[in-house]
Amino acid sequence: MFLNDSGETAWDLRFQVLGFPVRVQPMFWLTAVIFSGAARGGDLAFVLVGITVFFISILFHELGHALMMARFGQRAYIVLHGFGGYAAPDSGFGSWNGGSSRARSPREQILISAAGPAA
């Protein structure tokens, strides 16, 4: 997919928010710069505010998904990439509720999906 997650790189920014690991790929920043008006010759202050708003809004959206996954007993991680981001179950920590292998119910999946836009 165009500008999708290209896997981990040595230049990824890594940190945690509310206990969720977050990884930001370099292409995310390039996209943020473009959407912030730098390509149209916007002034530096406007571009920096735009990058900040872009970053915070997408991070909050993905945090909504991750928080709802945690509500249902599954750890998650967040990746911000070239054209947005995603929150995914962290398979490195086992399955739902500490090792059980149950699937998400339709209700849980709907709530997880809706939590991003709600955030």
Side-chain angles (χ1 to χ4, degrees):
M1 178 185 267
F2 180 67
L3 294 176
N4 199 359
D5 177 10
S6 59
E8 292 191 41
T9 72
W11 301 283
D12 291 352
L13 175 64
R14 292 173 175 84
F15 57 94
Q16 288 196 1
V17 175
L18 302 176
F20 297 104
V22 178
R23 184 167 51 90
V24 185
Q25 296 183 327
M27 284 300 293
F28 176 85
W29 300 114
L30 178 61
T31 303
V33 167
I34 291 168
F35 278 116
S36 298
R40 294 184 304 254
D43 71 46
L44 182 60
F46 184 82
V47 171
L48 291 176
V49 168
I51 291 168
T52 302
V53 169
F54 191 77
F55 174 74
I56 289 171
S57 64
I58 293 176
L59 181 61
F60 271 42
H61 175 96
E62 299 309 332
L63 273 171
H65 296 304
L67 285 167
M68 191 59 72
M69 283 184 217
R71 166 72 175 86
F72 293 122
Q74 187 168 34
R75 290 182 149 180
Y77 66 94
I78 296 169
V79 176
L80 303 182
H81 57 81
F83 202 64
Y86 63 88
D90 193 341
S91 60
F93 292 101
S95 298
W96 290 83
N97 297 319
S100 71
S101 60
R102 75 173 182 86
R104 293 178 185 150
S105 71
R107 177 185 170 274
E108 289 170 342
Q109 187 57 51
I110 289 168
L111 290 172
I112 289 168
S113 296

